[in-house]
Amino acid sequence: AEVSQGHISVVLLGATGDLAKKYLWQGLFQLYMDQVSSGHSFTFHGAALTALEPGQRLMFDVLKKLACPPDEPPNRCAVLKDQFLKLSQYHQLKTAENYTVLNREIETLLRQEGLKEAGRIFYFSVPPFAYTEIARHINSSCRPPPGAWLRVVLEKPFGHDLASAQQLAAELSSFFREEEMYRVDHYLGKQAVAHILPFRDQNRQFLDPIWNRHHLENRTRLQESHVYWNVPCSLSSGRTSFYEQYGVIRDVLQNHLTEALMFLTMELPANVSSTEEVLQCKLQAFQSLQGLEKNSAVLGQYQAYASQVQEELQKAQDYVSTTPTFAGVLIHSDNLRWEGIPFLLTSGKALDERVGYVRVLFKNRAYCTQSETLRDAGHSQCRAKQIIFYIGHGALNTPAVLVSRNLFRPVMPEDRWREAVGQPDLHIFGQPLSDYYVYSPVKEREAYSVLISNIYHGRKDFFITTENLLASWRFWTPLLDSISHQPLRLYPGGVENQHLLDFEMVGGEVAFTLAEPVELRLMPSDYRTIQSKFRQSPLVSAWSEELISQLASDIEKTASRAVAHSGQFHLALSGGSSPVVLFQRLARHHYAFPWKHTHIWLVDERCVPLTDTESNFFSLHNHLLQSVRVPYFNVHPMPVHLNQRLCVEEDRGTELYAKEIVALVANASFDLVLLGMGTDGHTASLFPRSEHGLEGAQSVVLTESPVKPHQRMSLSLSLINRAKQVFVLVLGKGKHDITTLLSRVGHEPRKWPISGVSPSSGQMVWYVDYEALLG
């Protein structure tokens, strides 16, 4: 778009906030570097509610850390950075008078320098609840004079549903014209997403015949996913409050992935450079989407999310979060081009890989009789045919466009995209990189830098119009309403998810491929009111024999997953009478159990010799260890008997066991801890009002039992809560009263130690038989 020469004032509201620090100041500096020779002059005004002096200090701390691109000569970089700092100033914008003063300062500067005003950019990096008041102040006292333009940049969220989006849109439209508003979806600035339309335009000759329902497979997919290595299942600090209100669909699907879907499915305008034509075609694509129903989506929540919300937002222990952190949604279009073609939108936190992509998979009608080794694999017609707009992260770790070599060699603008070479061992969607034409950006640009440049150039097609925004909310709100109380599938996070979140299309609906792994099983018809949750954790309940069978089976599955993932399985087992039948079941029925790779630890031990019939280890050996092939060095009894003395503090048996755990168990986090529960609410050998093990960081402790033998050694709550999984086994009528009590109380480990069991980044499952549950 043509821009008149003159002065541009950029006002960044929320100049000391996280978004400004991470992206916006760097994006504005990039704009200045790109446009310093364009004939325009600039001033940059940082603004916030903070008073002048502290605000100024915070803002300039950020500006001093600005960086130039690697290809910028150091001398020029230093000069430009110095100039940018001189052109930047801080303002407190809190009252109507503050805005009047800012306007006066801009006008004074222009007059003194003899400059003509080209326009003003106001970037709202503030929460949406502040938009209306700021808009009122700008409109009344900070608009540029006639002949100069105003561009107001708005950050998401743009409402929570259709009604709130309509209200916000109505309020803003009373102060600004539609052409003045630029709603940011930073995905539209990501280079692979921004190139979908140009790619379709530049490759019309190849795509026109095949970009339709006759040639596409039924697995076109847009995906955006997250994983947090070593801190699986966590949100970035400070974002939990936002996420608890919005969830994965509002945070990612309703905006980012829907926008990418529009680029993919809209009819191509004759002129893709025409903002009006692009926006009109995008709106038509919105209007052709079929309505979503409850069964159009599968939803999940990673297991640590609920406790994270309770902790960070200081919610009560009985607070239950219904916010999805994973969603897979099936979308269809009524457009004849796409009739019958499913579009799968998937996003989640704590998945096994952080990666974003748009994948278009074409049908393959070829049947090849010659072996793969005798053919040119890269151009083989039997290989999958696909186009991938690789948004970032993942194996490639860079934006890219990939086209199967057996489709066509794409036309790509050489000044912006170059053919990538190397990484021969890398596989993308099961195929070696050599099977694709791969293009990556000549110069990688951060999404906000791209968008700020488009704001400067007045390119509205990179932003969300009011009409398109409301069309999107109109499409998503019915689904959001229908799933507001839908049960969520819990998943552990990372590679532990295995196939738990896989879903399939059945008759126009989606459903998880695997049955819910933790559920109320074998429930008699009389007991339909029992919920499959206990103390906000999954509950498995059945008659005792079936329950033990299920528990043994679940322990074996957990062991097999752990061995597949890390090569070993660390299992900590409690003593007492309840686990005896479980040990016998494991010994007699689970021949495929990976005992060779299993380490056996004790959760607690009585201070008697290991050969004493009172010893937990003696019981474990009698009923399990002597019947299975666990390597000798993989068995770790508690050192209660040292120097011919039992549990004497000076012998430091607790320290020895703690050191052994730290040496062998990664992060001292057991793969599985099996606990029981006493009638007084004790677990392991942690008793009510105990001086040791209920609080503090010590991992192995000596405790006192109210019954003989009194002295015990036990893992502490602190160590138990580091486990990846905790299973609690409760059997018999004698446990009914404490089970009922525990269902009502909160987190009070001093009174009931079992209530303090809450794995910090793992899953807890209760296995309670009907007698304990129902009496």
Side-chain angles (χ1 to χ4, degrees), residues 580-648:
V580 168
V581 282
L582 171 68
F583 297 160
Q584 292 169 344
R585 177 90 197 175
L586 286 169
R588 295 171 192 168
H589 296 277
H590 290 266
Y591 302 108
F593 199 104
W595 294 114
K596 183 180 174 184
H597 305 285
T598 298
H599 284 256
I600 302 284
W601 302 82
L602 272 288
V603 168
D604 63 330
E605 183 56 280
R606 298 163 179 190
C607 292
V608 296
L610 299 183
T611 52
D612 192 301
T613 54
E614 292 277 352
S615 162
N616 288 341
F617 180 80
F618 181 87
S619 173
L620 175 64
H621 180 269
N622 243 16
H623 298 294
L624 177 65
L625 296 182
Q626 68 177 1
S627 306
V628 297
R629 294 184 178 179
V630 181
Y632 176 81
F633 290 107
N634 285 14
V635 179
H636 309 277
M638 280 185 155
V640 291
H641 197 186
L642 294 170
N643 304 320
Q644 297 184 338
R645 302 191 294 185
L646 292 168
C647 295
V648 174

Side-chain angles (χ1 to χ4, degrees), residues 181-222:
M181 289 185 282
Y182 289 69
R183 289 185 186 84
V184 168
D185 182 329
H186 75 271
Y187 250 54
L188 301 191
K190 290 184 179 285
Q191 286 167 290
V193 177
H195 195 62
I196 295 175
L197 272 190
F199 178 88
R200 288 181 58 194
D201 181 50
Q202 291 152 14
N203 290 278
R204 285 180 194 247
Q205 56 177 320
F206 307 117
L207 291 176
D208 274 358
I210 62 172
W211 201 254
N212 56 58
R213 62 194 170 101
H214 301 296
H215 293 85
L216 280 191
E217 256 299 353
N218 62 355
R219 283 177 286 168
T220 298
R221 178 187 292 264
L222 296 91

Side-chain angles (χ1 to χ4, degrees), residues 346-599:
T346 311
S347 179
K349 293 199 174 290
L351 303 187
D352 64 330
E353 183 183 20
R354 183 179 185 184
V355 63
Y357 61 84
V358 176
R359 183 186 183 203
V360 183
L361 195 59
F362 292 85
K363 288 178 180 174
N364 196 339
R365 298 180 176 85
Y367 178 78
C368 302
T369 55
Q370 199 170 17
S371 71
E372 197 70 37
T373 52
L374 298 175
R375 283 184 276 111
D376 176 1
H379 293 82
S380 165
Q381 288 306 303
C382 283
R383 289 293 182 101
K385 299 178 180 183
Q386 52 195 329
I387 297 172
I388 301 157
F389 298 95
Y390 202 93
I391 299 165
H393 302 290
L396 282 179
N397 201 32
T398 177
V401 177
L402 299 91
V403 179
S404 293
R405 289 178 179 268
N406 55 6
L407 266 175
F408 57 86
R409 176 185 275 278
V411 176
M412 297 290 283
E414 291 180 12
D415 59 327
R416 298 198 176 180
W417 295 82
R418 62 177 165 220
E419 193 162 0
V421 290
Q423 297 180 281
D425 299 332
L426 198 61
H427 282 64
I428 302 292
F429 298 115
Q431 290 181 250
L433 213 57
S434 57
D435 278 12
Y436 302 95
Y437 295 111
V438 183
Y439 296 85
S440 58
V442 170
K443 186 176 182 179
E444 274 195 55
R445 296 198 64 178
E446 206 284 316
Y448 277 99
S449 291
V450 173
L451 291 173
I452 287 170
S453 174
N454 287 325
I455 294 161
Y456 167 79
H457 286 106
R459 283 296 305 267
K460 287 278 288 181
D461 48 324
F462 280 84
F463 300 89
I464 316 301
T465 64
T466 301
E467 207 172 6
N468 275 326
L469 172 71
L470 298 181
S472 178
W473 276 121
R474 207 168 278 118
F475 173 69
W476 284 102
T477 298
L479 176 71
L480 289 164
D481 290 343
S482 70
I483 62 173
S484 57
H485 299 294
Q486 188 171 321
L488 305 174
R489 168 159 293 192
L490 290 176
Y491 58 98
V495 292
E496 299 296 323
N497 294 336
Q498 297 285 316
H499 302 295
L500 202 56
L501 296 179
D502 291 355
F503 60 93
E504 57 192 27
M505 295 172 288
V506 183
E509 299 177 349
V510 283
F512 284 116
T513 307
L514 295 180
E516 184 75 54
V518 177
E519 59 190 0
L520 191 58
R521 301 169 191 275
L522 305 168
M523 191 192 298
S525 57
D526 296 351
Y527 301 147
R528 291 292 177 197
T529 56
I530 302 172
Q531 298 300 305
S532 55
K533 290 264 184 179
F534 184 75
R535 292 182 59 80
Q536 286 78 57
S537 292
L539 167 70
V540 183
S541 192
W543 299 115
S544 58
E545 189 177 336
E546 289 88 356
L547 186 72
I548 292 296
S549 171
Q550 185 59 50
L551 174 56
S553 179
D554 290 350
I555 290 173
E556 182 179 340
K557 286 175 191 166
T558 305
S560 300
R561 282 201 302 267
V563 171
H565 177 226
S566 63
Q568 51 193 358
F569 174 54
H570 287 279
L571 172 65
L573 295 167
S574 288
S577 56
S578 292
V580 168
V581 282
L582 171 68
F583 297 160
Q584 292 169 344
R585 177 90 197 175
L586 286 169
R588 295 171 192 168
H589 296 277
H590 290 266
Y591 302 108
F593 199 104
W595 294 114
K596 183 180 174 184
H597 305 285
T598 298
H599 284 256

Side-chain angles (χ1 to χ4, degrees), residues 132-365:
T132 305
E133 187 184 354
I134 294 170
R136 184 180 291 110
H137 292 319
I138 292 171
N139 186 54
S140 64
S141 56
C142 226
R143 272 187 170 275
W149 46 255
L150 171 66
R151 291 174 190 155
V152 176
V153 189
L154 306 164
E155 277 285 343
K156 79 176 183 101
F158 313 120
H160 187 265
D161 53 18
L162 179 59
S164 57
Q166 285 172 325
Q167 183 183 345
L168 184 58
E171 288 169 359
L172 289 170
S173 66
S174 64
F175 303 113
F176 304 128
R177 298 191 300 276
E178 180 63 31
E179 63 270 21
E180 293 176 330
M181 289 185 282
Y182 289 69
R183 289 185 186 84
V184 168
D185 182 329
H186 75 271
Y187 250 54
L188 301 191
K190 290 184 179 285
Q191 286 167 290
V193 177
H195 195 62
I196 295 175
L197 272 190
F199 178 88
R200 288 181 58 194
D201 181 50
Q202 291 152 14
N203 290 278
R204 285 180 194 247
Q205 56 177 320
F206 307 117
L207 291 176
D208 274 358
I210 62 172
W211 201 254
N212 56 58
R213 62 194 170 101
H214 301 296
H215 293 85
L216 280 191
E217 256 299 353
N218 62 355
R219 283 177 286 168
T220 298
R221 178 187 292 264
L222 296 91
Q223 179 156 329
E224 202 264 6
S225 52
H226 296 275
V227 69
Y228 297 82
W229 296 112
N230 301 323
V231 195
C233 321
S234 69
L235 282 162
S236 56
S237 177
R239 204 162 181 266
T240 306
S241 177
F242 167 84
Y243 205 85
E244 180 61 6
Q245 292 178 64
Y246 284 84
V248 67
I249 293 180
R250 291 179 173 93
D251 187 38
V252 179
L253 275 72
Q254 178 272 327
N255 39 70
H256 303 331
L257 297 193
T258 303
E259 287 299 317
L261 178 65
M262 294 303 98
F263 283 160
L264 207 65
T265 60
M266 63 186 261
E267 292 300 310
L268 269 187
N271 178 11
V272 294
S273 299
S274 164
T275 296
E276 293 74 21
E277 286 186 45
V278 169
L279 292 174
Q280 193 54 41
C281 288
K282 193 196 281 191
L283 186 61
Q284 287 167 358
F286 262 123
Q287 291 164 344
S288 69
L289 296 179
Q290 290 180 12
L292 295 174
E293 296 177 2
K294 190 176 182 179
N295 293 331
S296 301
V298 286
L299 305 170
Q301 185 189 84
Y302 65 79
Q303 281 155 357
Y305 179 78
S307 57
Q308 189 181 326
V309 169
Q310 284 178 355
E311 185 181 328
E312 288 196 29
L313 304 185
Q314 300 181 322
K315 299 283 188 183
Q317 279 293 311
D318 59 356
Y319 176 79
V320 178
S321 170
T322 57
T323 301
T325 62
F326 168 84
V329 179
L330 173 63
I331 294 176
H332 284 95
S333 171
D334 282 331
N335 184 315
L336 192 60
R337 179 188 290 276
W338 304 120
E339 187 181 22
I341 294 294
F343 295 92
L344 296 173
L345 274 58
T346 311
S347 179
K349 293 199 174 290
L351 303 187
D352 64 330
E353 183 183 20
R354 183 179 185 184
V355 63
Y357 61 84
V358 176
R359 183 186 183 203
V360 183
L361 195 59
F362 292 85
K363 288 178 180 174
N364 196 339
R365 298 180 176 85

Side-chain angles (χ1 to χ4, degrees), residues 651-670:
D651 293 337
R652 298 187 171 176
T654 56
E655 290 179 36
L656 277 173
Y657 208 55
K659 284 179 181 173
E660 192 175 4
I661 292 168
V662 167
L664 296 175
V665 183
N667 302 318
S669 173
F670 291 109

